[in-house]
Amino acid sequence: EIVMTQSPATLSVSPGERATLSCRASQSLSGHLAWYQQKPGQTPRLLIHYTSTRATGIPARFSGSGSGTEFTLTISSLQSEDFAVYYCLQYNDWPYSFGQGTKLEIK
Amino acid sequence: QVHLVESGGGVVQPGGSLRLSCVASGFNFVDYGMHWVRQAPGKGLEWVAFIRFDGTKLYYADSVKGRFTVSRDNAKNTLYLQMSGLRGEDTAMYHCAKDRSGSGDWFDPWGQGTLVAVSS
């Protein structure tokens, strides 16, 4: 089973600033990494798939990068609606697995 | 527009069984794989199970293998999760989600979920 580790657990950033979230896999994912955003009381929303491809309707301030076992989600200029919990998902091998999440909070 | 509606959740005693359903609309259900994902109260996301578009391949999280069974009825556009040997740690909101393809890939969107509570 592939273990996904996200860091940090909580990230405090001011609106307008840049946020960088990390996700590490216990083995290579061949790029099969997605990012989801979850706001309180809502279902998760897909942001990024295949490491760096934005899902339909996702603003350009969200970008994904990485390779092998190390991946990053960057939000270039935080808006109020971006404060949420973010999860990475590996879909390279069964069973699929999520990271434990990073809570992005207002500083 | 894709629409997924889960049902079948409720309160069940430890060791009991429950069957969840997910009715799909807005896309050709027969062409897509489907996932179950759960989220315990206040906790993170846990992938649970996947079924290929034709039902010929099934995959499970280690935590549910041997206790849960995923199935589908393509004629009814419905996905199921049969849960048995339920434990307290199975208490969660259970969501179904549409795979990008028929055979396993990223998945979106998700249904709103159905709540399962395992308690004596």
Side-chain angles (χ1 to χ4, degrees):
Chain A
E1 176 177 342
I2 299 176
V3 177
M4 304 299 292
T5 303
Q6 290 186 240
S7 61
T10 303
L11 183 61
S12 299
V13 182
S14 300
E17 292 189 342
R18 180 188 201 92
T20 303
L21 290 67
S22 297
C23 178
R24 172 178 292 177
S26 59
Q27 62 191 72
S28 177
L29 301 183
S30 301
H32 296 112
L33 188 285
W35 290 93
Y36 293 83
Q37 176 195 66
Q38 187 177 31
K39 297 180 182 179
Q42 297 186 15
T43 59
R45 175 176 74 147
L46 178 71
L47 298 175
I48 301 281
H49 59 86
Y50 203 64
T51 299
S52 59
T53 304
R54 276 190 302 277
T56 303
I58 301 303
R61 65 180 181 272
F62 291 90
S63 63
S65 62
S67 64
T69 62
E70 301 282 344
F71 300 88
T72 299
L73 174 69
T74 301
I75 310 170
S76 59
S77 178
L78 280 164
Q79 307 296 304
S80 58
E81 62 266 29
D82 299 335
F83 292 96
V85 181
Y86 293 82
Y87 296 93
C88 59
L89 165 77
Q90 72 80 17
Y91 55 100
N92 188 61
D93 198 10
W94 304 103
Y96 287 4
S97 47
F98 286 96
Q100 78 279 21
T102 291
K103 181 179 181 180
L104 182 57
E105 63 177 28
I106 301 174
K107 187 174 182 180
Chain B
Q1 164 182 351
V2 174
H3 198 45
L4 301 168
V5 179
E6 302 92 338
S7 62
V11 180
V12 59
Q13 292 188 338
S17 299
L18 211 55
R19 188 177 82 157
L20 307 184
S21 300
C22 167
V23 176
S25 60
F27 66 102
N28 288 331
F29 184 73
V30 300
D31 291 334
Y32 292 89
M34 295 293 294
H35 299 260
W36 286 100
V37 180
R38 68 184 181 183
Q39 187 168 32
K43 302 297 184 183
L45 302 173
E46 181 184 14
W47 179 86
V48 173
F50 170 79
I51 183 167
R52 221 173 88 121
F53 71 101
D54 55 4
T56 59
K57 292 285 189 182
L58 313 175
Y59 299 98
Y60 299 95
D62 290 347
S63 58
V64 307
K65 196 176 296 182
R67 300 186 300 122
F68 290 12
T69 302
V70 60
S71 63
R72 63 192 295 158
D73 184 337
N74 284 346
K76 295 183 178 180
N77 284 3
T78 303
L79 171 73
Y80 301 101
L81 186 66
Q82 179 69 48
M83 305 184 294
S84 61
L86 283 162
R87 307 166 180 166
E89 55 264 38
D90 296 318
T91 294
M93 184 72 79
Y94 285 73
H95 301 270
C96 60
K98 172 185 169 289
D99 193 82
R100 183 203 70 82
S101 73
S103 304
D105 209 307
W106 52 267
F107 46 89
D108 193 66
W110 305 37
Q112 290 297 313
T114 187
L115 184 60
V116 173
V118 182
S119 174
S120 55

